[in-house]
Amino acid sequence: MARRIDVMQQMEVPIRGMNCLECTQHVQHALATLPGVHSVQVYLASEKAVLQVNPAQVDLDGIRQAVKGVGYSVPFTVTTPEASSPVQTLASFTRPVLTLFGLVVGAVLLVVVAGEWLGLFEQITERIPLWLGTLLVVLTGAPIFVNILQAAWRRQILSHTLMSLGVVAALLVGQWPTAVVVVFFMYVGSYAERFTTERARRAVKHLTLFAPQTACVERDGQEQDVPIEQVQIGVTVIVRPGDRIPVDGIVLEGQATVDQATITGESLPIEVQVGSRVFASTIASLGYLKVRTTQIGSDTTFGRVVQLVEEAEAHRAEVQRLADRFSAYFLPIVASIALVTLLVSRNPLATAAVLVVACSCSLALATPIAMLASIGAGAKQGLLIKGGKYLEVLAKADVLFVDKTGTLTTGRPQIADIVALAHHSETRVLQLAASAEWYSEHPLAEAVRRAAKERGLALEDPARFEAIPGAGVRALVSGKRVAVGNERLLPEARQEAVAQVLEAQGKTLLFVAVDGELVGVLAASDTVRPEVTQALAEIRTLGIKHIELLTGDQERAAAALAKELGITYRANLLPEDKIALVKKEQDKGRVVVMVGDGVNDAPALAQANVGIAMGAAGSEVALEAAHLALMREDWSLVPDALRIARRTMRTVKFNLLFTALYNLVGLSLAALGILPPIVAAAAQSLPDLGILVNSSRLLHQPEATSTRSRL
């Protein structure tokens, strides 16, 4: 009997009402228990769940009911907001709302402390019966209490569960004004968390709002505006001045200035012309373009960037996992302290104060809000960080390995010398080499083809083609077996005297052989990126002293570049050699960062503790292999990434230390009877506000060094 194979399908479901990590955990647990759900990830920043499901067993109604069962909702219609209003509105009201919020909380704290000192609450308690005060507490806190009871029915503990125990404790000892203050600050805490989370979400929303919704396509010589979903790969898209480019593609006709800030973070526009690559969500100005579509929708560079930024929160830092584990034990720890306080002091007011002052919300907020803020702020600068755990690791980095071609250098080498041998002409040698390199994506192959094009040579599509990683290519051209590569492919070629002379000049050599006979030598030269020297100096000042060049290039070329930059080097390396060197340093307990172009270096990028892809815009391999991608080819972003990582971890550590000390002092004062319940109720929300203010600083990272250098 044939076995039926269930095909899994990915579903993206918007979730409304999530304001904290607890929310995502509850939704994830509810969806994971549905039949037919293979895996699920819930993202707070983008307010959605991504599920791998068996479509025969799962439908949207079932998902909607599961989400509703844990207190959240799935909208029946999903609308796309306008590209300006939500972000601009939130940004414009951020500062005044935060100011008003602080004034209200400060006023309440002043009233509470002064009232306790003057004995006003005792007078209120004497004049208003307990049953009436209890009714007031129940009515004002009903939405929160219902949510907590529903969670308890599902065997879930919320951050407000502990505070609710404090409310109950305050009522049991007749301190209903204390219970009212606790309820008030439960609302304050909820709004603070929503406000902080919304600010952290803003960068992701800022990205998604730039996605074009329509495109102007050329059909039968006519221009027609269509929804972006109807655009097919290969069609011609018209881009007028001021339009946002709707697709990734190649310019077929026209010339324009394009602002690529949404992709690369680069504020200066670039000039594009026939043959140039353009990316979705960038803005064309001062020109008219016809673009042949190569990628659409979520497959565009912009779509992949948005997806990876959204998914970044799934890669949680180890310090965040530790905080989450501690939060799970926080309730029983506080309950034990309260029980000991009651047994030792026989003071029910002190016991109630212990339950009231404990603040578990701040523990849950300390790490993720800071991580989300830095990931979002980094994305706007052109730094695509795939998760908080990579920020944590990057902050500890002490070894930097770098690739040569396309990384330290511009990646656009020029053929400087052509030496013909064995009765062949320079023109014929170049023509055969360029034809053999027809399908190669290596920068040196592009240089060979470009040199042939500049000389007007006609190239032939090879009948057979084979790429040998780290060595070169073999192809069948005009019935001849042509090999083009380094000495690893043609080891005997290095003995040629002319090869030794060219290599001594620091040039990269490509040997050309026909039917096993060496017929020529091509010498290529590349230029170092202008910002590399300063960037490496900044990296050294940040504490990374071991910087080493890993390249498949020849010894002398590598030595010349390494000497120029003042770093060590390893030459003639295959991809597996680079992996071995990364592992060797990791075995010594070092944290390795690898910077490469994301193609030949993909294995080493993946093996490194943090792999950084240089110039990842448009490179799918780079986006997939690396843990952090520089969306423009600018080495100044590397030290900027290190600074962001270290600033983030300083913020996280301060948040955790502040929360721990605050709870320790608060619980101690409450247990000793020094902190009255009413003051404890007012004080328990201060850590949330402190973390809000401290983490919000990360949303405004210092200006990138690459930008400063141009001013």
Side-chain angles (χ1 to χ4, degrees), residues 311-334:
E311 293 176 356
E313 65 184 85
H315 301 283
R316 307 172 75 189
E318 184 60 32
V319 66
Q320 183 174 340
R321 295 192 184 98
L322 291 174
D324 291 344
R325 286 196 289 269
F326 182 77
S327 297
Y329 294 104
F330 192 71
L331 178 58
I333 289 173
V334 173

Side-chain angles (χ1 to χ4, degrees), residues 41-383:
Q41 282 288 353
V42 181
Y43 302 116
L44 178 63
S46 48
E47 298 180 279
K48 71 177 183 181
V50 178
L51 305 91
Q52 295 292 334
V53 303
N54 180 352
Q57 295 179 270
V58 179
D59 57 24
L60 187 57
D61 288 338
I63 291 174
R64 184 175 282 113
Q65 290 302 316
V67 171
K68 182 179 179 181
V70 291
Y72 308 96
S73 63
V74 175
F76 283 90
T77 59
V78 183
T79 58
T80 302
E82 294 298 322
S84 57
S85 57
V87 173
Q88 292 176 351
T89 300
L90 181 61
S92 61
F93 283 104
T94 292
R95 199 174 298 275
V97 166
L98 185 59
T99 302
L100 180 61
F101 188 65
L103 290 174
V104 170
V105 172
V108 173
L109 287 173
L110 181 63
V111 170
V112 168
V113 174
E116 173 67 17
W117 181 61
L118 296 173
L120 297 178
F121 290 109
E122 293 182 4
Q123 299 177 22
I124 295 175
T125 304
E126 292 174 356
R127 295 182 180 180
I128 299 179
L130 179 61
W131 69 267
L132 185 57
T134 302
L135 180 61
L136 178 63
V137 171
V138 172
L139 290 176
T140 54
I144 294 177
F145 298 146
V146 169
N147 192 30
I148 291 171
L149 291 174
Q150 289 176 341
W153 180 258
R154 298 189 298 267
R155 299 181 181 180
Q156 296 171 346
I157 296 176
L158 306 180
S159 56
H160 284 159
T161 301
L162 183 58
M163 298 171 70
S164 298
L165 292 178
V167 170
V168 174
L171 292 176
L172 290 177
V173 297
Q175 293 280 321
W176 69 262
T178 298
V180 170
V181 174
V182 173
V183 169
F184 171 77
F185 278 103
M186 288 167 78
Y187 281 112
V188 169
S190 294
Y191 284 120
E193 190 167 356
R194 289 178 188 174
F195 184 76
T196 308
T197 302
E198 185 60 33
R199 292 201 69 193
R201 276 181 184 149
R202 208 167 76 198
V204 176
K205 287 187 175 182
H206 189 69
L207 284 175
T208 57
L209 292 174
F210 280 116
Q213 302 303 308
T214 62
C216 178
V217 299
E218 185 179 63
R219 292 177 176 172
D220 301 324
Q222 300 294 320
E223 297 181 6
Q224 181 180 356
D225 290 326
V226 300
I228 193 66
E229 296 82 7
Q230 296 181 14
V231 178
Q232 302 291 324
I233 292 176
V235 305
T236 299
V237 172
I238 307 299
V239 181
R240 306 181 187 91
D243 282 357
R244 193 174 295 277
I245 299 174
V247 297
D248 281 9
I250 305 296
V251 176
L252 297 177
E253 181 181 322
Q255 186 174 353
T257 301
V258 177
D259 178 0
Q260 294 188 334
T262 53
I263 296 292
T264 66
E266 176 62 66
S267 58
L268 296 178
I270 66 167
E271 298 294 328
V272 300
Q273 54 192 352
V274 175
S276 299
R277 295 195 64 183
V278 293
F279 305 106
S281 299
T282 58
I283 301 174
S285 60
L286 304 177
Y288 174 92
L289 299 174
K290 286 188 177 182
V291 178
R292 178 172 57 82
T293 302
T294 59
Q295 299 289 344
I296 58 175
S298 60
D299 292 329
T300 63
T301 298
F302 178 78
R304 297 198 303 272
V305 168
V306 171
Q307 180 182 358
L308 291 172
V309 172
E310 289 175 340
E311 293 176 356
E313 65 184 85
H315 301 283
R316 307 172 75 189
E318 184 60 32
V319 66
Q320 183 174 340
R321 295 192 184 98
L322 291 174
D324 291 344
R325 286 196 289 269
F326 182 77
S327 297
Y329 294 104
F330 192 71
L331 178 58
I333 289 173
V334 173
S336 300
I337 294 173
L339 180 60
V340 171
T341 300
L342 181 62
L343 294 175
V344 173
S345 68
R346 304 290 180 179
N347 184 349
L349 289 178
T351 303
V354 167
L355 292 172
V356 167
V357 77
C359 183
S360 60
C361 299
S362 55
L363 284 171
L365 282 173
T367 303
I369 294 300
M371 294 294 185
L372 283 175
S374 288
I375 289 169
K380 291 193 291 185
Q381 288 184 211
L383 291 167

Side-chain angles (χ1 to χ4, degrees), residues 584-623:
K584 182 179 178 180
E585 293 299 323
Q586 290 172 329
D587 291 341
K588 296 177 183 177
R590 295 178 176 176
V591 178
V592 179
V593 176
M594 174 73 190
V595 184
D597 62 8
V599 181
N600 293 332
D601 300 304
L605 289 172
Q607 175 63 40
N609 298 92
V610 178
I612 301 179
M614 172 66 66
S619 173
E620 186 171 355
V621 175
L623 288 174

Side-chain angles (χ1 to χ4, degrees), residues 462-609:
R464 288 202 305 267
F465 175 83
E466 178 188 7
I468 300 95
V473 301
R474 292 192 183 99
L476 188 65
V477 179
S478 299
K480 301 180 182 296
R481 293 178 289 108
V482 180
V484 183
N486 56 29
E487 71 271 13
R488 190 176 290 115
L489 183 67
L490 300 166
E492 69 283 355
R494 192 176 181 184
Q495 303 305 318
E496 289 286 336
V498 67
Q500 296 179 23
V501 172
L502 292 171
E503 192 176 33
Q505 298 172 4
K507 296 176 180 177
T508 300
L509 303 187
L510 287 176
F511 302 107
V512 184
V514 176
D515 293 333
E517 180 185 13
L518 184 67
V519 299
V521 181
L522 306 180
S525 60
D526 201 353
T527 56
V528 178
R529 296 182 186 277
E531 74 280 5
V532 164
T533 303
Q534 180 183 348
L536 291 179
E538 292 180 12
I539 290 169
R540 290 189 184 95
T541 63
L542 290 170
I544 299 181
K545 306 301 183 184
H546 184 172
I547 304 176
E548 190 164 14
L549 169 64
L550 305 184
T551 179
D553 214 339
Q554 298 102 325
E555 181 83 15
R556 291 182 181 178
L561 179 59
K563 182 179 180 180
E564 179 182 350
L565 298 176
I567 60 178
T568 57
Y569 72 94
R570 306 284 183 93
N572 297 307
L573 299 178
L574 294 170
E576 52 265 33
D577 297 327
K578 295 183 181 182
I579 294 177
L581 289 170
V582 171
K583 287 181 178 178
K584 182 179 178 180
E585 293 299 323
Q586 290 172 329
D587 291 341
K588 296 177 183 177
R590 295 178 176 176
V591 178
V592 179
V593 176
M594 174 73 190
V595 184
D597 62 8
V599 181
N600 293 332
D601 300 304
L605 289 172
Q607 175 63 40
N609 298 92

